Amino acid sequence: MRNLNHISLYTFTARAIHSQVAIIGGGTAGLNVSAQLVRDGHFIPQQIRIFEPYKMHAYQTGWTLVGGGMCKVEQTMKPMEKVLPKNVCLSDCPVVRIDPEQNTIVTMDGQKYTYDQLIVASGVQRDYASIKGALEQLNNPEAPVGSIYYYRYAQKIDKMIREFEGGKLIFSEPPTKCEGIPSNIVFLTHERLSTRGVKCDFHVYKANDSIFGIPKYSQIIGELAHEKGLHCHLKKRLIEVQDHKVIFEDVETKQQYTSDYDFLHIVPPQKPAAFIAESGLGDSDGYVNVHPNTLQHIRYANVWGLGDCSSVPTSKTAAAVMAQTPILIKNLIRTWKLKQNPLPEYQGYTSCPVYTSNKKVLLAEFKYNKQLDETFPVFQSSDSKLMYLMKKHFFPFAYWQLMVRGLWGGRDGIRLFKGV
Ligand SMILES: Cc1cc2nc3c(=O)[nH]c(=O)nc-3n(C[C@H](O)[C@H](O)[C@H](O)COP(=O)(O)OP(=O)(O)OC[C@H]3O[C@@H](n4cnc5c(N)ncnc54)[C@H](O)[C@@H]3O)c2cc1C
């Protein structure tokens, strides 16, 4: 959805263009994996090709802060050529088809590419269109409807909060793979409006059956929401948006409810790109069907998946990408170059920071089977100022200064040594 002039004059060659490693997607996962492959000296950059149609790379995590009035959208974007590892090949035409039997990729302009190893990192698509009337209201500058999941709508949310004079606020969430992100904008909006003394009636409608999938954090967030007077409605899915009116459906009984609103925040349903399923690489929901511990494709030994597009059953976050990257690289090198089996090292680590105000963050960290996997347990029994300082100031620095150079190992800190 980034409208960044990605139409260019594609150069077409009749012959297929070969790369040792093809990476589909130049988002957080594609960039991180390419930077570490190059930095660790496994490949020279010219042997790696990234497919990415957008000219700007987005630090999507920052869009929460844009909506919360804590940073400018310009701080969340950088031109692709500034963040890509030097001399890595870039194809700026979207991939439309993969033939994993023939190790072939086809882009929208018909150009064919071949690969030895393929890494799929194409993220998810934000499906606002599946909610009737949502795009019309989001795109109407006068309508009080926004969303931090797209930078323009995040800017709109910031403006809506600044101009809000009071009334009923609704925050909707479809079944989501990261429940921390939607809570952020609820709390940040509450903080800003209560600081201004604006009279508000907050309602959160979640399609999930709990406030947060991990009981410990669900309880902390639930108590904070209660203290702040926020009303939470579970198992309710937004199906239609009209002018100052919304329709929800109960996910079990299918009964419909209508409500009026003066302010609406929409979390869009998310889905993987269609080419994954169409190429025979998808699981039953269309996500890249990889082994949850090795990140290797279930059927094709030279295909790998990480990030939001992969089938791993954990919360989809940039933090998860940082944990997955070194394991994927190690397994790719082991299986391809060393002819050894992949190691089942990924245990589902992910992390969702929840801004509970514009001064504190609750850092949720967990792995598969809802098990806690906390790095700073002392600071994670409630929301904390220290976690806030890390999230607001250190993480963006780590992303732009360390991650893009292949130097960021997530919670393992700075990577000074090779991953394999
Ligand atoms: C508002 C918001 C707040 C967030 N907050 C946090 C947070 O606090 N902490 C955290 O850890 N995570 C957070 N996340 C999640 C984090 O941003 C994602 O998990 C991360 O970006 C996933 O990386 P990815 O590379 O898998 O997907 P993306 O970063 O979305 O990249 C996918 C790329 O693939 C490209 N692509 C798609 N289809 C094709 C195709 N056919 N051909 C070629 N290229 C293609 C896309 O253009 C895109 O650039 C947040 C996300 C949002 C939206």
Side-chain angles (χ1 to χ4, degrees), residues 228-402:
K228 293 173 195 281
L230 316 177
H231 307 281
C232 200
H233 312 263
L234 300 178
K235 300 188 201 171
K236 303 286 179 292
R237 188 171 69 90
L238 179 63
I239 54 171
E240 187 169 342
V241 185
Q242 300 172 6
D243 180 18
H244 288 84
K245 188 175 145 196
V246 274
I247 304 177
F248 285 94
E249 179 188 76
D250 187 289
V251 296
E252 283 170 0
T253 64
K254 305 293 173 207
Q255 193 181 338
Q256 294 190 358
Y257 303 84
T258 58
S259 173
D260 54 353
Y261 67 85
D262 302 297
F263 180 115
L264 174 65
H265 180 273
I266 301 176
V267 178
Q270 294 168 40
K271 60 178 190 185
F275 77 82
I276 296 169
E278 287 163 10
S279 305
L281 293 175
D283 68 0
S284 55
D285 294 323
Y287 290 89
V288 184
N289 199 2
V290 294
H291 186 287
N293 305 115
T294 66
L295 308 174
Q296 185 178 39
H297 195 269
I298 297 294
R299 279 186 61 200
Y300 299 100
N302 65 340
V303 178
W304 307 84
L306 84 166
D308 290 6
C309 70
S310 86
S311 62
V312 294
T314 195
S315 267
K316 310 283 171 122
T317 64
V321 167
M322 302 303 147
Q324 292 162 7
T325 301
I327 296 169
L328 186 154
I329 292 177
K330 183 189 283 188
N331 283 335
L332 185 150
I333 301 297
R334 279 177 67 87
T335 53
W336 186 32
K337 299 243 161 134
L338 309 177
K339 311 290 175 219
Q340 294 172 347
N341 287 331
L343 296 173
E345 286 189 348
Y346 183 58
Q347 298 302 323
Y349 173 80
T350 191
S351 162
C352 304
V354 181
Y355 281 91
T356 56
S357 72
N358 57 10
K359 292 174 203 68
K360 284 188 173 179
V361 158
L362 170 68
L363 185 65
E365 281 180 301
F366 48 97
K367 55 185 177 179
Y368 289 145
N369 302 320
K370 303 190 176 193
Q371 282 182 46
L372 296 184
D373 193 359
E374 297 181 334
T375 313
F376 313 95
V378 178
F379 299 102
Q380 291 175 269
S381 55
S382 66
D383 49 347
S384 124
K385 177 111 192 170
L386 181 69
M387 295 298 113
Y388 165 81
L389 292 172
M390 259 179 54
K391 169 79 186 135
K392 168 102 192 328
H393 301 291
F394 180 68
F395 288 168
F397 166 81
Y399 194 90
W400 293 121
Q401 302 304 326
L402 303 176

Side-chain angles (χ1 to χ4, degrees), residues 25 27-29 51-54 60-61 95 122 181 308 317-319 391:
T28 300
F51 295 83
E52 173 56 62
Y54 287 105
Q60 297 171 28
T61 300
V95 169
S122 50
I181 301 168
D308 290 6
T317 64
K391 169 79 186 135

Side-chain angles (χ1 to χ4, degrees), residues 16-19 97-106 112-118 279 281 299-300 302-303:
I17 301 170
H18 185 76
S19 309
R97 182 126 198 130
I98 301 161
D99 181 349
E101 303 287 348
Q102 302 298 325
N103 297 341
T104 305
I105 291 169
V106 181
K112 261 192 179 182
Y113 298 84
T114 51
Y115 58 81
D116 296 321
Q117 299 285 317
L118 171 65
S279 305
L281 293 175
R299 279 186 61 200
Y300 299 100
N302 65 340
V303 178

